[in-house]
Amino acid sequence: MAFVKVDDNEPLEKSIKRFKRMVEKEGIIREWKKREYFEKPSTILNRKKKALARKQMKKVRKLHGSKGF
């Protein structure tokens, strides 16, 4: 759980900005959006396979692109 201690002389806007950065760094919003709706195990597996395929294709493109020079 993310929390921020606010000093007496610190502006509230600065504290809120720090809190937002902390929440983003910890991935709390991303995790919440991921768990917002139930996802079937087969859907999760398909999503992971597609992500892996994209990652591999990106790696192949990167290798072929750098050899052209």
Side-chain angles (χ1 to χ4, degrees):
M1 175 159 246
F3 65 92
V4 174
K5 289 187 179 182
V6 181
D7 294 331
D8 292 334
N9 57 355
E10 184 180 21
L12 185 62
E13 290 80 18
K14 188 174 181 181
S15 304
I16 291 173
K17 197 175 236 185
R18 246 186 333 138
F19 177 74
K20 285 183 179 180
R21 273 197 311 261
M22 187 182 301
V23 166
E24 185 178 340
K25 183 179 175 186
E26 291 180 8
I28 294 172
I29 301 293
R30 195 177 324 121
E31 183 72 22
W32 173 71
K33 286 184 178 182
K34 190 173 87 172
R35 294 175 183 257
E36 192 172 6
Y37 300 105
F38 177 76
E39 195 173 9
K40 293 182 356 184
S42 61
T43 309
I44 294 171
L45 187 63
N46 287 337
R47 182 172 38 83
K48 287 184 180 180
K49 283 182 182 178
K50 286 181 183 178
L52 181 62
R54 280 194 307 270
K55 187 175 181 181
Q56 289 174 344
M57 287 300 293
K58 184 177 179 182
K59 188 175 183 180
V60 168
R61 280 196 311 266
K62 189 174 183 181
L63 284 174
H64 290 303
S66 63
K67 289 183 181 178
F69 291 105

